Amino acid sequence: TELATLWLQQGRRELLTIVPRHPERSASIENALKSVNARVSVRSRNEPLEQDTNILLADTLGELPAFYQHANAVFVGGSLITRGGHNILEAARAHCAIVVGPHMDNFIEELALLQQAGGISLQHNAEGVIEQLVKLLDDPTEAERLATNAKDATSGMQFIGETYLEHLGPWLQKPAL
């Protein structure tokens, strides 16, 4: 709710889309958003985006790539609290300008890769996240630079699953003792 509140205080025209990692939390998220006077449209109910809608609650599964494709900038959550962050590689491969918080413990190597490439913005608190998102929306050239750097850094990773299987193959075929 804190991020949504800070976003709403900006008075921006862009639609904030929130994609919960666990869609079953949709009702509680919707209630929290409405408690801060957000005009919410819920994707799972196919609610239309009205003129005054300022938040889309995308509580469906399998649509994240489409949302990334149309995003001008993204905040990858789970990183403002000590949860350890969520997968930033999906957003990087989708050519997104990515902002995260300081708690990326579950994705240390991926964060380092994108930081080294200049393809991610690390912020220390919710205010910094919103400030950075606004900067990226106001500076499409900087957002494009960040997104391109992120995508380039991950361009060789599209076959990573096959590489893992190739290395694990001999172990997977051994009979259990």
Side-chain angles (χ1 to χ4, degrees), residues 64-75:
L64 189 57
F67 288 114
Y68 279 152
Q69 181 182 359
H70 297 287
N72 295 330
V74 301
F75 166 67

Side-chain angles (χ1 to χ4, degrees), residues 11-176:
R12 303 291 298 202
R13 300 281 308 148
E14 296 91 351
L15 180 69
L16 176 65
T17 302
I18 297 175
V19 183
R21 184 165 174 84
H22 302 286
E24 64 273 7
R25 293 185 48 229
S26 180
S28 65
I29 294 170
E30 180 182 9
N31 289 335
L33 292 171
K34 287 184 174 180
S35 76
V36 296
N37 297 318
R39 304 277 193 288
V40 181
S41 176
V42 180
R43 176 80 176 116
S44 64
R45 295 194 303 249
N46 291 318
E47 294 177 350
L49 296 175
E50 303 291 344
Q51 190 75 15
D52 64 346
T53 302
N54 46 27
I55 297 181
L56 171 62
L57 181 55
D59 60 343
T60 54
L61 294 175
E63 294 186 304
L64 189 57
F67 288 114
Y68 279 152
Q69 181 182 359
H70 297 287
N72 295 330
V74 301
F75 166 67
V76 178
S79 60
L80 284 173
I81 55 177
T82 56
R83 182 165 288 144
H86 295 307
N87 188 348
I88 53 179
L89 296 180
E90 292 173 308
R93 285 192 296 261
H95 194 253
C96 292
I98 306 166
V99 180
V100 295
H103 301 286
M104 291 295 296
D105 302 332
N106 295 336
F107 296 92
I108 292 171
E109 291 175 9
E110 294 85 346
L111 177 63
L113 172 74
L114 294 184
Q115 283 180 310
Q116 183 178 359
I120 197 164
S121 175
L122 176 69
Q123 299 298 315
H124 298 288
N125 54 40
E127 292 84 3
V129 166
I130 295 301
E131 182 179 305
Q132 184 63 24
L133 288 173
V134 167
K135 283 181 182 177
L136 292 169
L137 292 171
D138 288 343
D139 187 352
T141 302
E142 176 60 13
E144 175 62 25
R145 183 194 67 76
L146 206 63
T148 298
N149 289 347
K151 184 166 182 154
D152 289 351
T154 60
S155 65
M157 302 177 123
Q158 62 264 39
F159 301 110
I160 196 78
E162 289 85 351
T163 303
Y164 281 129
L165 286 175
E166 194 174 293
H167 289 284
L168 291 174
W171 294 99
L172 296 175
Q173 295 175 8
K174 288 187 177 185

